[in-house]
Amino acid sequence: LFLFSMSFSKAQTIYNESEVPSFEVPDPLVTFKGKTIGTIGDWENVRRPELHTYFETKVYGKIPKNLKIDSYKILEQEDNALNGKANRRQVELTFKHNDKVLSFTILLYLPKKVENTAVFLGYNFYGNHTITEDESVLISTAWADNNEGFDIVNNTLTAASRGKRTHRWAIEKIIDAGYGLATIYYGEVDPDKDDFSDGIQSLLYSKNQKHPKADEWGSISAWAWGLSKAMDYFEKDPEIDAARVIAFGHSRLGKAALWAGANDKRFAGVISNNSGCGGAALSKRKFGETIGVINERFPHWFCTNFKEFNNKEETLAVDQHQLLALIAPRPLYIASAEEDRWADPKGEFLSALYASSVYELYGKKGINIMDMPVVNSPILNTVAYHIRTGKHDVTDYDWEQYIKWADTFLR
Ligand code: GCU
């Protein structure tokens, strides 16, 4: 997908700093009507709600109804997983509405030596069975995009891809540090295709509705919804400390993690790994992927209203630093990769920097340097940031920083 995107828009894509048109981003602490916000109360009662409504109705789309978990079922569990270090559990959550049913399965590893565990929660791209060699991990039957690299045939996941994504999930490091890991195959919540007849949206249509309304949820909102529903389950699970759950996501799933954190204050923190356009990166800075390109290639990700801004980023009343600000004062980690220019590392850094004034209003430490740090030198404040060497990916280096940072506020 990444290679495809490089060639797709080669002609217009800006990869040269000197070609980036000048841009202005709106101040998180000045309302749409021009009033300056100087107190936490005004931020929470005036500015935050108007920003949230804007992102909800113009960018990601509203979630029409707060659907509750209908039932959950422990499909499988084992007390001696990962060489005896962890408990493994596979929990299926089921949702019902308008005679339709949707289920998704959370794969959970919890360290045995810890009680009331803090957890990293994040989606995976190709099925729970790809994140580990563990033979007991069930293979999802949900739709998957055909991809030879992952042995997906006829849109069906297969055992041949077991363990193919272990390098993105530092399970041992996470467990050894005393954290749990929870993951879900994102295709179970909403298949990643421009088709609104399936996925969670289809349960909540009104009579004869076939597509979300212009201000209703696209796939990113649907995936964000799924993370919140996993949180609903965590609140019932005595082994998990639901007050210490960090939403994590890479790339499109990083966009979903950020939006989940903005919508749901129960998340103790959010990690955005290389989330790029429509995630952490500023939209008005037209470097790498742009709104027009993302909406054309992935018409189902954002709400229909977001298409108004194709090639008209300057007309947006918000920018992505304000999405980050919606997560304040909770800890937020934005990570970039040097070679991931499509995601605009500098736009991700500036976004974290420009969100920091809201964190400072709460007395929290945001990004306190004006220039990007050099590679592999993380800033581990309440707003954290790093750019590591290498490509668009999740690496052990990334997880080592996330754990170190989480230790500063979750221990
Ligand atoms: C594409 C897309 C990005 C997205 C990425 C991914 O490259 O253009 O916006 O982040 O896929 O999810 O891997």
Side-chain angles (χ1 to χ4, degrees), residues 1-6 125 168 186 192 250-255 273-279 289 293-294 297-298 301-302 340 342-343 392:
L1 268 175
F2 179 68
L3 287 175
F4 175 67
S5 61
M6 299 285 284
F125 280 77
R168 280 194 177 177
Y186 82 134
D192 192 357
H250 170 64
S251 211
R252 71 197 65 182
L253 302 176
K255 308 181 211 291
N273 193 91
N274 309 175
S275 64
C277 180
E289 187 171 28
V293 171
I294 204 167
R297 285 189 54 214
F298 305 102
W301 282 5
F302 299 86
D340 186 20
W342 183 242
H392 186 69

PDB file of all heavy atoms in Angstrom, residues 1-6 125 168 186 192 250-255 273-279 289 293-294 297-298 301-302 340 342-343 392, ligand 1:
ATOM      1  N   LEU A   1       0.825  -1.206   0.000  1.00  0.00           N
ATOM      2  CA  LEU A   1       0.000   0.000   0.000  1.00  0.00           C
ATOM      3  C   LEU A   1       0.859   1.256   0.000  1.00  0.00           C
ATOM      4  O   LEU A   1       0.588   2.214  -0.681  1.00  0.00           O
ATOM      5  CB  LEU A   1      -0.893   0.021   1.247  1.00  0.00           C
ATOM      6  CG  LEU A   1      -2.267  -0.598   1.072  1.00  0.00           C
ATOM      7  CD1 LEU A   1      -2.980  -0.611   2.393  1.00  0.00           C
ATOM      8  CD2 LEU A   1      -3.082   0.132   0.020  1.00  0.00           C
ATOM      9  N   PHE A   2       1.914   1.192   0.761  1.00  0.00           N
ATOM     10  CA  PHE A   2       2.756   2.362   0.883  1.00  0.00           C
ATOM     11  C   PHE A   2       3.411   2.685  -0.466  1.00  0.00           C
ATOM     12  O   PHE A   2       3.387   3.814  -0.933  1.00  0.00           O
ATOM     13  CB  PHE A   2       3.809   2.142   1.963  1.00  0.00           C
ATOM     14  CG  PHE A   2       4.720   3.312   2.124  1.00  0.00           C
ATOM     15  CD1 PHE A   2       4.235   4.508   2.630  1.00  0.00           C
ATOM     16  CD2 PHE A   2       6.044   3.224   1.738  1.00  0.00           C
ATOM     17  CE1 PHE A   2       5.066   5.606   2.759  1.00  0.00           C
ATOM     18  CE2 PHE A   2       6.882   4.320   1.879  1.00  0.00           C
ATOM     19  CZ  PHE A   2       6.399   5.504   2.385  1.00  0.00           C
ATOM     20  N   LEU A   3       3.923   1.656  -1.135  1.00  0.00           N
ATOM     21  CA  LEU A   3       4.580   1.871  -2.425  1.00  0.00           C
ATOM     22  C   LEU A   3       3.586   2.432  -3.434  1.00  0.00           C
ATOM     23  O   LEU A   3       3.873   3.332  -4.185  1.00  0.00           O
ATOM     24  CB  LEU A   3       5.156   0.556  -2.948  1.00  0.00           C
ATOM     25  CG  LEU A   3       6.395   0.099  -2.193  1.00  0.00           C
ATOM     26  CD1 LEU A   3       6.827  -1.259  -2.684  1.00  0.00           C
ATOM     27  CD2 LEU A   3       7.526   1.108  -2.336  1.00  0.00           C
ATOM     28  N   PHE A   4       2.389   1.868  -3.391  1.00  0.00           N
ATOM     29  CA  PHE A   4       1.340   2.316  -4.275  1.00  0.00           C
ATOM     30  C   PHE A   4       1.084   3.813  -4.074  1.00  0.00           C
ATOM     31  O   PHE A   4       1.003   4.582  -5.017  1.00  0.00           O
ATOM     32  CB  PHE A   4       0.078   1.502  -4.000  1.00  0.00           C
ATOM     33  CG  PHE A   4      -1.123   1.946  -4.780  1.00  0.00           C
ATOM     34  CD1 PHE A   4      -1.150   1.789  -6.151  1.00  0.00           C
ATOM     35  CD2 PHE A   4      -2.203   2.528  -4.141  1.00  0.00           C
ATOM     36  CE1 PHE A   4      -2.260   2.201  -6.874  1.00  0.00           C
ATOM     37  CE2 PHE A   4      -3.306   2.940  -4.863  1.00  0.00           C
ATOM     38  CZ  PHE A   4      -3.338   2.778  -6.234  1.00  0.00           C
ATOM     39  N   SER A   5       1.027   4.202  -2.812  1.00  0.00           N
ATOM     40  CA  SER A   5       0.715   5.598  -2.538  1.00  0.00           C
ATOM     41  C   SER A   5       1.823   6.532  -3.046  1.00  0.00           C
ATOM     42  O   SER A   5       1.559   7.635  -3.456  1.00  0.00           O
ATOM     43  CB  SER A   5       0.477   5.808  -1.049  1.00  0.00           C
ATOM     44  OG  SER A   5       1.610   5.477  -0.320  1.00  0.00           O
ATOM     45  N   MET A   6       3.047   6.035  -3.043  1.00  0.00           N
ATOM     46  CA  MET A   6       4.156   6.863  -3.498  1.00  0.00           C
ATOM     47  C   MET A   6       3.993   7.188  -4.984  1.00  0.00           C
ATOM     48  O   MET A   6       4.233   8.299  -5.409  1.00  0.00           O
ATOM     49  CB  MET A   6       5.488   6.128  -3.322  1.00  0.00           C
ATOM     50  CG  MET A   6       5.811   5.760  -1.904  1.00  0.00           C
ATOM     51  SD  MET A   6       6.326   7.146  -0.931  1.00  0.00           S
ATOM     52  CE  MET A   6       7.999   7.344  -1.546  1.00  0.00           C
ATOM     53  N   PHE A 125      -3.367  -5.202  11.648  1.00  0.00           N
ATOM     54  CA  PHE A 125      -3.804  -5.104  10.248  1.00  0.00           C
ATOM     55  C   PHE A 125      -4.217  -6.433   9.627  1.00  0.00           C
ATOM     56  O   PHE A 125      -5.010  -6.461   8.695  1.00  0.00           O
ATOM     57  CB  PHE A 125      -2.669  -4.543   9.387  1.00  0.00           C
ATOM     58  CG  PHE A 125      -2.504  -3.058   9.456  1.00  0.00           C
ATOM     59  CD1 PHE A 125      -1.890  -2.447  10.553  1.00  0.00           C
ATOM     60  CD2 PHE A 125      -2.943  -2.257   8.418  1.00  0.00           C
ATOM     61  CE1 PHE A 125      -1.716  -1.072  10.601  1.00  0.00           C
ATOM     62  CE2 PHE A 125      -2.773  -0.878   8.463  1.00  0.00           C
ATOM     63  CZ  PHE A 125      -2.168  -0.282   9.559  1.00  0.00           C
ATOM     64  N   ARG A 168       6.367  -6.231  14.874  1.00  0.00           N
ATOM     65  CA  ARG A 168       5.693  -4.974  15.246  1.00  0.00           C
ATOM     66  C   ARG A 168       5.154  -4.977  16.672  1.00  0.00           C
ATOM     67  O   ARG A 168       4.637  -3.970  17.140  1.00  0.00           O
ATOM     68  CB  ARG A 168       4.518  -4.721  14.296  1.00  0.00           C
ATOM     69  CG  ARG A 168       4.951  -4.142  12.990  1.00  0.00           C
ATOM     70  CD  ARG A 168       3.750  -3.594  12.250  1.00  0.00           C
ATOM     71  NE  ARG A 168       4.196  -2.971  11.027  1.00  0.00           N
ATOM     72  CZ  ARG A 168       3.371  -2.436  10.129  1.00  0.00           C
ATOM     73  NH1 ARG A 168       2.069  -2.468  10.323  1.00  0.00           N
ATOM     74  NH2 ARG A 168       3.852  -1.868   9.058  1.00  0.00           N
ATOM     75  N   TYR A 186      -8.639  -5.277  13.022  1.00  0.00           N
ATOM     76  CA  TYR A 186      -9.518  -4.122  12.743  1.00  0.00           C
ATOM     77  C   TYR A 186     -10.634  -4.452  11.765  1.00  0.00           C
ATOM     78  O   TYR A 186     -11.709  -3.851  11.805  1.00  0.00           O
ATOM     79  CB  TYR A 186      -8.689  -2.913  12.303  1.00  0.00           C
ATOM     80  CG  TYR A 186      -8.243  -2.803  10.864  1.00  0.00           C
ATOM     81  CD1 TYR A 186      -8.390  -1.604  10.174  1.00  0.00           C
ATOM     82  CD2 TYR A 186      -7.630  -3.857  10.195  1.00  0.00           C
ATOM     83  CE1 TYR A 186      -7.964  -1.455   8.868  1.00  0.00           C
ATOM     84  CE2 TYR A 186      -7.193  -3.710   8.877  1.00  0.00           C
ATOM     85  CZ  TYR A 186      -7.364  -2.519   8.220  1.00  0.00           C
ATOM     86  OH  TYR A 186      -6.934  -2.375   6.925  1.00  0.00           O
ATOM     87  N   ASP A 192     -11.994  -2.846   5.851  1.00  0.00           N
ATOM     88  CA  ASP A 192     -11.371  -1.649   5.287  1.00  0.00           C
ATOM     89  C   ASP A 192     -11.590  -1.579   3.776  1.00  0.00           C
ATOM     90  O   ASP A 192     -10.691  -1.818   2.986  1.00  0.00           O
ATOM     91  CB  ASP A 192      -9.876  -1.680   5.632  1.00  0.00           C
ATOM     92  CG  ASP A 192      -9.195  -0.359   5.361  1.00  0.00           C
ATOM     93  OD1 ASP A 192      -9.862   0.572   4.859  1.00  0.00           O
ATOM     94  OD2 ASP A 192      -7.989  -0.252   5.667  1.00  0.00           O
ATOM     95  N   HIS A 250      -0.834   2.208  14.770  1.00  0.00           N
ATOM     96  CA  HIS A 250       0.132   2.552  13.727  1.00  0.00           C
ATOM     97  C   HIS A 250      -0.622   2.987  12.474  1.00  0.00           C
ATOM     98  O   HIS A 250      -1.594   2.352  12.078  1.00  0.00           O
ATOM     99  CB  HIS A 250       0.991   1.323  13.419  1.00  0.00           C
ATOM    100  CG  HIS A 250       1.853   1.469  12.199  1.00  0.00           C
ATOM    101  ND1 HIS A 250       2.866   2.395  12.114  1.00  0.00           N
ATOM    102  CD2 HIS A 250       1.846   0.816  11.011  1.00  0.00           C
ATOM    103  CE1 HIS A 250       3.455   2.294  10.923  1.00  0.00           C
ATOM    104  NE2 HIS A 250       2.844   1.341  10.230  1.00  0.00           N
ATOM    105  N   SER A 251      -0.152   4.077  11.884  1.00  0.00           N
ATOM    106  CA  SER A 251      -0.639   4.491  10.574  1.00  0.00           C
ATOM    107  C   SER A 251      -2.149   4.758  10.586  1.00  0.00           C
ATOM    108  O   SER A 251      -2.617   5.500  11.435  1.00  0.00           O
ATOM    109  CB  SER A 251      -0.251   3.411   9.564  1.00  0.00           C
ATOM    110  OG  SER A 251      -0.037   3.995   8.314  1.00  0.00           O
ATOM    111  N   ARG A 252      -2.950   4.126   9.721  1.00  0.00           N
ATOM    112  CA  ARG A 252      -4.395   4.405   9.745  1.00  0.00           C
ATOM    113  C   ARG A 252      -4.975   4.041  11.109  1.00  0.00           C
ATOM    114  O   ARG A 252      -5.934   4.637  11.573  1.00  0.00           O
ATOM    115  CB  ARG A 252      -5.118   3.640   8.627  1.00  0.00           C
ATOM    116  CG  ARG A 252      -5.217   2.158   8.807  1.00  0.00           C
ATOM    117  CD  ARG A 252      -5.556   1.440   7.522  1.00  0.00           C
ATOM    118  NE  ARG A 252      -4.475   1.579   6.547  1.00  0.00           N
ATOM    119  CZ  ARG A 252      -4.497   1.082   5.308  1.00  0.00           C
ATOM    120  NH1 ARG A 252      -5.538   0.411   4.898  1.00  0.00           N
ATOM    121  NH2 ARG A 252      -3.482   1.263   4.493  1.00  0.00           N
ATOM    122  N   LEU A 253      -4.370   3.070  11.757  1.00  0.00           N
ATOM    123  CA  LEU A 253      -4.868   2.661  13.070  1.00  0.00           C
ATOM    124  C   LEU A 253      -4.381   3.600  14.163  1.00  0.00           C
ATOM    125  O   LEU A 253      -4.964   3.656  15.250  1.00  0.00           O
ATOM    126  CB  LEU A 253      -4.480   1.202  13.322  1.00  0.00           C
ATOM    127  CG  LEU A 253      -5.025   0.260  12.234  1.00  0.00           C
ATOM    128  CD1 LEU A 253      -4.550  -1.173  12.448  1.00  0.00           C
ATOM    129  CD2 LEU A 253      -6.553   0.316  12.192  1.00  0.00           C
ATOM    130  N   GLY A 254      -3.350   4.372  13.858  1.00  0.00           N
ATOM    131  CA  GLY A 254      -2.915   5.467  14.737  1.00  0.00           C
ATOM    132  C   GLY A 254      -3.902   6.627  14.646  1.00  0.00           C
ATOM    133  O   GLY A 254      -4.196   7.296  15.640  1.00  0.00           O
ATOM    134  N   LYS A 255      -4.424   6.848  13.447  1.00  0.00           N
ATOM    135  CA  LYS A 255      -5.462   7.871  13.288  1.00  0.00           C
ATOM    136  C   LYS A 255      -6.653   7.477  14.167  1.00  0.00           C
ATOM    137  O   LYS A 255      -7.249   8.298  14.876  1.00  0.00           O
ATOM    138  CB  LYS A 255      -5.919   7.970  11.819  1.00  0.00           C
ATOM    139  CG  LYS A 255      -4.802   8.142  10.776  1.00  0.00           C
ATOM    140  CD  LYS A 255      -5.351   8.264   9.345  1.00  0.00           C
ATOM    141  CE  LYS A 255      -4.468   7.733   8.215  1.00  0.00           C
ATOM    142  NZ  LYS A 255      -3.256   8.400   7.880  1.00  0.00           N
ATOM    143  N   ASN A 273       1.639   6.062  16.285  1.00  0.00           N
ATOM    144  CA  ASN A 273       2.872   5.642  15.617  1.00  0.00           C
ATOM    145  C   ASN A 273       2.726   5.907  14.110  1.00  0.00           C
ATOM    146  O   ASN A 273       1.899   5.268  13.450  1.00  0.00           O
ATOM    147  CB  ASN A 273       3.084   4.148  15.882  1.00  0.00           C
ATOM    148  CG  ASN A 273       4.475   3.666  15.518  1.00  0.00           C
ATOM    149  OD1 ASN A 273       5.379   3.667  16.357  1.00  0.00           O
ATOM    150  ND2 ASN A 273       4.654   3.248  14.284  1.00  0.00           N
ATOM    151  N   ASN A 274       3.451   6.852  13.607  1.00  0.00           N
ATOM    152  CA  ASN A 274       3.461   7.135  12.145  1.00  0.00           C
ATOM    153  C   ASN A 274       2.050   7.300  11.580  1.00  0.00           C
ATOM    154  O   ASN A 274       1.714   6.734  10.536  1.00  0.00           O
ATOM    155  CB  ASN A 274       4.168   6.009  11.350  1.00  0.00           C
ATOM    156  CG  ASN A 274       5.552   5.620  11.863  1.00  0.00           C
ATOM    157  OD1 ASN A 274       6.149   4.691  11.356  1.00  0.00           O
ATOM    158  ND2 ASN A 274       6.068   6.306  12.870  1.00  0.00           N
ATOM    159  N   SER A 275       1.205   8.093  12.260  1.00  0.00           N
ATOM    160  CA  SER A 275      -0.210   8.155  11.848  1.00  0.00           C
ATOM    161  C   SER A 275      -0.449   9.085  10.655  1.00  0.00           C
ATOM    162  O   SER A 275      -1.427   8.932   9.938  1.00  0.00           O
ATOM    163  CB  SER A 275      -1.095   8.569  13.021  1.00  0.00           C
ATOM    164  OG  SER A 275      -0.778   9.869  13.448  1.00  0.00           O
ATOM    165  N   GLY A 276       0.414  10.058  10.445  1.00  0.00           N
ATOM    166  CA  GLY A 276       0.373  10.858   9.223  1.00  0.00           C
ATOM    167  C   GLY A 276      -0.901  11.641   8.981  1.00  0.00           C
ATOM    168  O   GLY A 276      -1.575  12.112   9.904  1.00  0.00           O
ATOM    169  N   CYS A 277      -1.246  11.760   7.702  1.00  0.00           N
ATOM    170  CA  CYS A 277      -2.384  12.579   7.252  1.00  0.00           C
ATOM    171  C   CYS A 277      -3.702  12.117   7.889  1.00  0.00           C
ATOM    172  O   CYS A 277      -4.019  10.937   7.863  1.00  0.00           O
ATOM    173  CB  CYS A 277      -2.474  12.476   5.730  1.00  0.00           C
ATOM    174  SG  CYS A 277      -3.814  13.427   5.016  1.00  0.00           S
ATOM    175  N   GLY A 278      -4.438  13.066   8.438  1.00  0.00           N
ATOM    176  CA  GLY A 278      -5.696  12.712   9.105  1.00  0.00           C
ATOM    177  C   GLY A 278      -5.458  12.086  10.471  1.00  0.00           C
ATOM    178  O   GLY A 278      -6.389  11.666  11.149  1.00  0.00           O
ATOM    179  N   GLY A 279      -4.182  12.000  10.865  1.00  0.00           N
ATOM    180  CA  GLY A 279      -3.786  11.522  12.198  1.00  0.00           C
ATOM    181  C   GLY A 279      -3.081  12.664  12.891  1.00  0.00           C
ATOM    182  O   GLY A 279      -3.671  13.732  13.101  1.00  0.00           O
ATOM    183  N   GLU A 289       1.354  13.118   2.009  1.00  0.00           N
ATOM    184  CA  GLU A 289      -0.060  12.845   1.714  1.00  0.00           C
ATOM    185  C   GLU A 289      -0.942  14.053   2.068  1.00  0.00           C
ATOM    186  O   GLU A 289      -0.717  14.724   3.066  1.00  0.00           O
ATOM    187  CB  GLU A 289      -0.522  11.631   2.535  1.00  0.00           C
ATOM    188  CG  GLU A 289      -1.905  11.155   2.176  1.00  0.00           C
ATOM    189  CD  GLU A 289      -2.274   9.823   2.842  1.00  0.00           C
ATOM    190  OE1 GLU A 289      -1.749   9.530   3.930  1.00  0.00           O
ATOM    191  OE2 GLU A 289      -3.079   9.085   2.245  1.00  0.00           O
ATOM    192  N   VAL A 293      -5.815  13.536  -1.664  1.00  0.00           N
ATOM    193  CA  VAL A 293      -5.294  12.210  -2.023  1.00  0.00           C
ATOM    194  C   VAL A 293      -5.870  11.132  -1.107  1.00  0.00           C
ATOM    195  O   VAL A 293      -6.316  10.076  -1.561  1.00  0.00           O
ATOM    196  CB  VAL A 293      -3.744  12.227  -1.952  1.00  0.00           C
ATOM    197  CG1 VAL A 293      -3.187  10.829  -2.112  1.00  0.00           C
ATOM    198  CG2 VAL A 293      -3.185  13.150  -3.038  1.00  0.00           C
ATOM    199  N   ILE A 294      -5.913  11.397   0.180  1.00  0.00           N
ATOM    200  CA  ILE A 294      -6.398  10.374   1.116  1.00  0.00           C
ATOM    201  C   ILE A 294      -7.897  10.112   0.882  1.00  0.00           C
ATOM    202  O   ILE A 294      -8.344   8.970   0.901  1.00  0.00           O
ATOM    203  CB  ILE A 294      -6.076  10.755   2.587  1.00  0.00           C
ATOM    204  CG1 ILE A 294      -6.014   9.510   3.471  1.00  0.00           C
ATOM    205  CG2 ILE A 294      -7.066  11.752   3.169  1.00  0.00           C
ATOM    206  CD1 ILE A 294      -5.413   9.762   4.847  1.00  0.00           C
ATOM    207  N   ARG A 297      -8.270   7.952  -2.381  1.00  0.00           N
ATOM    208  CA  ARG A 297      -7.849   6.555  -2.261  1.00  0.00           C
ATOM    209  C   ARG A 297      -8.638   5.777  -1.226  1.00  0.00           C
ATOM    210  O   ARG A 297      -8.816   4.576  -1.331  1.00  0.00           O
ATOM    211  CB  ARG A 297      -6.363   6.487  -1.908  1.00  0.00           C
ATOM    212  CG  ARG A 297      -5.490   6.798  -3.090  1.00  0.00           C
ATOM    213  CD  ARG A 297      -4.042   6.517  -2.757  1.00  0.00           C
ATOM    214  NE  ARG A 297      -3.844   5.169  -2.258  1.00  0.00           N
ATOM    215  CZ  ARG A 297      -2.942   4.860  -1.339  1.00  0.00           C
ATOM    216  NH1 ARG A 297      -2.195   5.787  -0.793  1.00  0.00           N
ATOM    217  NH2 ARG A 297      -2.794   3.615  -0.969  1.00  0.00           N
ATOM    218  N   PHE A 298      -9.060   6.464  -0.180  1.00  0.00           N
ATOM    219  CA  PHE A 298      -9.773   5.802   0.918  1.00  0.00           C
ATOM    220  C   PHE A 298     -11.058   6.575   1.208  1.00  0.00           C
ATOM    221  O   PHE A 298     -11.185   7.211   2.257  1.00  0.00           O
ATOM    222  CB  PHE A 298      -8.878   5.748   2.165  1.00  0.00           C
ATOM    223  CG  PHE A 298      -7.541   5.095   1.924  1.00  0.00           C
ATOM    224  CD1 PHE A 298      -6.389   5.859   1.764  1.00  0.00           C
ATOM    225  CD2 PHE A 298      -7.431   3.703   1.842  1.00  0.00           C
ATOM    226  CE1 PHE A 298      -5.154   5.256   1.541  1.00  0.00           C
ATOM    227  CE2 PHE A 298      -6.205   3.097   1.619  1.00  0.00           C
ATOM    228  CZ  PHE A 298      -5.054   3.873   1.467  1.00  0.00           C
ATOM    229  N   TRP A 301     -12.812   6.321   4.770  1.00  0.00           N
ATOM    230  CA  TRP A 301     -12.159   6.524   6.072  1.00  0.00           C
ATOM    231  C   TRP A 301     -12.768   7.663   6.884  1.00  0.00           C
ATOM    232  O   TRP A 301     -12.940   7.567   8.091  1.00  0.00           O
ATOM    233  CB  TRP A 301     -10.662   6.785   5.891  1.00  0.00           C
ATOM    234  CG  TRP A 301      -9.845   5.558   5.631  1.00  0.00           C
ATOM    235  CD1 TRP A 301     -10.309   4.276   5.444  1.00  0.00           C
ATOM    236  CD2 TRP A 301      -8.418   5.488   5.533  1.00  0.00           C
ATOM    237  NE1 TRP A 301      -9.248   3.420   5.226  1.00  0.00           N
ATOM    238  CE2 TRP A 301      -8.074   4.138   5.274  1.00  0.00           C
ATOM    239  CE3 TRP A 301      -7.391   6.429   5.629  1.00  0.00           C
ATOM    240  CZ2 TRP A 301      -6.755   3.710   5.131  1.00  0.00           C
ATOM    241  CZ3 TRP A 301      -6.077   6.000   5.476  1.00  0.00           C
ATOM    242  CH2 TRP A 301      -5.769   4.662   5.239  1.00  0.00           C
ATOM    243  N   PHE A 302     -13.029   8.776   6.195  1.00  0.00           N
ATOM    244  CA  PHE A 302     -13.526   9.968   6.897  1.00  0.00           C
ATOM    245  C   PHE A 302     -14.999  10.145   6.549  1.00  0.00           C
ATOM    246  O   PHE A 302     -15.533   9.424   5.703  1.00  0.00           O
ATOM    247  CB  PHE A 302     -12.711  11.195   6.465  1.00  0.00           C
ATOM    248  CG  PHE A 302     -11.244  11.067   6.792  1.00  0.00           C
ATOM    249  CD1 PHE A 302     -10.375  10.425   5.921  1.00  0.00           C
ATOM    250  CD2 PHE A 302     -10.743  11.551   7.993  1.00  0.00           C
ATOM    251  CE1 PHE A 302      -9.023  10.274   6.233  1.00  0.00           C
ATOM    252  CE2 PHE A 302      -9.393  11.410   8.304  1.00  0.00           C
ATOM    253  CZ  PHE A 302      -8.533  10.770   7.422  1.00  0.00           C
ATOM    254  N   ASP A 340       9.708   7.918   6.592  1.00  0.00           N
ATOM    255  CA  ASP A 340       8.255   7.912   6.373  1.00  0.00           C
ATOM    256  C   ASP A 340       7.782   9.309   5.978  1.00  0.00           C
ATOM    257  O   ASP A 340       6.966   9.933   6.652  1.00  0.00           O
ATOM    258  CB  ASP A 340       7.564   7.446   7.668  1.00  0.00           C
ATOM    259  CG  ASP A 340       6.069   7.260   7.513  1.00  0.00           C
ATOM    260  OD1 ASP A 340       5.597   7.120   6.361  1.00  0.00           O
ATOM    261  OD2 ASP A 340       5.370   7.249   8.543  1.00  0.00           O
ATOM    262  N   TRP A 342       5.926  10.265   3.557  1.00  0.00           N
ATOM    263  CA  TRP A 342       4.505  10.278   3.184  1.00  0.00           C
ATOM    264  C   TRP A 342       3.648  10.770   4.361  1.00  0.00           C
ATOM    265  O   TRP A 342       2.663  11.477   4.194  1.00  0.00           O
ATOM    266  CB  TRP A 342       4.112   8.858   2.765  1.00  0.00           C
ATOM    267  CG  TRP A 342       2.719   8.646   2.285  1.00  0.00           C
ATOM    268  CD1 TRP A 342       1.777   7.837   2.868  1.00  0.00           C
ATOM    269  CD2 TRP A 342       2.093   9.199   1.122  1.00  0.00           C
ATOM    270  NE1 TRP A 342       0.614   7.857   2.133  1.00  0.00           N
ATOM    271  CE2 TRP A 342       0.780   8.684   1.060  1.00  0.00           C
ATOM    272  CE3 TRP A 342       2.516  10.090   0.128  1.00  0.00           C
ATOM    273  CZ2 TRP A 342      -0.119   9.024   0.048  1.00  0.00           C
ATOM    274  CZ3 TRP A 342       1.614  10.422  -0.879  1.00  0.00           C
ATOM    275  CH2 TRP A 342       0.319   9.898  -0.911  1.00  0.00           C
ATOM    276  N   ALA A 343       4.048  10.380   5.580  1.00  0.00           N
ATOM    277  CA  ALA A 343       3.315  10.771   6.795  1.00  0.00           C
ATOM    278  C   ALA A 343       3.746  12.137   7.338  1.00  0.00           C
ATOM    279  O   ALA A 343       3.176  12.616   8.313  1.00  0.00           O
ATOM    280  CB  ALA A 343       3.475   9.703   7.877  1.00  0.00           C
ATOM    281  N   HIS A 392       8.418   3.466   7.680  1.00  0.00           N
ATOM    282  CA  HIS A 392       7.036   3.393   8.157  1.00  0.00           C
ATOM    283  C   HIS A 392       6.801   1.990   8.734  1.00  0.00           C
ATOM    284  O   HIS A 392       6.666   1.019   7.992  1.00  0.00           O
ATOM    285  CB  HIS A 392       6.131   3.622   6.944  1.00  0.00           C
ATOM    286  CG  HIS A 392       4.682   3.721   7.260  1.00  0.00           C
ATOM    287  ND1 HIS A 392       4.140   4.779   7.953  1.00  0.00           N
ATOM    288  CD2 HIS A 392       3.640   2.898   6.959  1.00  0.00           C
ATOM    289  CE1 HIS A 392       2.831   4.608   8.057  1.00  0.00           C
ATOM    290  NE2 HIS A 392       2.504   3.473   7.470  1.00  0.00           N
TER     291      HIS A 392
HETATM  292  C1  GCU B   1      -1.527   4.574   3.212  1.00  0.00           C
HETATM  293  C2  GCU B   1      -2.276   5.841   3.520  1.00  0.00           C
HETATM  294  C3  GCU B   1      -1.879   6.410   4.872  1.00  0.00           C
HETATM  295  C4  GCU B   1      -1.987   5.343   5.937  1.00  0.00           C
HETATM  296  C5  GCU B   1      -1.204   4.123   5.510  1.00  0.00           C
HETATM  297  C6  GCU B   1      -1.334   2.923   6.452  1.00  0.00           C
HETATM  298  O1  GCU B   1      -0.178   4.855   2.992  1.00  0.00           O
HETATM  299  O2  GCU B   1      -2.044   6.745   2.481  1.00  0.00           O
HETATM  300  O3  GCU B   1      -2.712   7.500   5.223  1.00  0.00           O
HETATM  301  O4  GCU B   1      -1.545   5.840   7.178  1.00  0.00           O
HETATM  302  O5  GCU B   1      -1.678   3.670   4.261  1.00  0.00           O
HETATM  303  O6  GCU B   1      -2.309   2.783   7.159  1.00  0.00           O
HETATM  304  O7  GCU B   1      -0.416   2.087   6.404  1.00  0.00           O
END
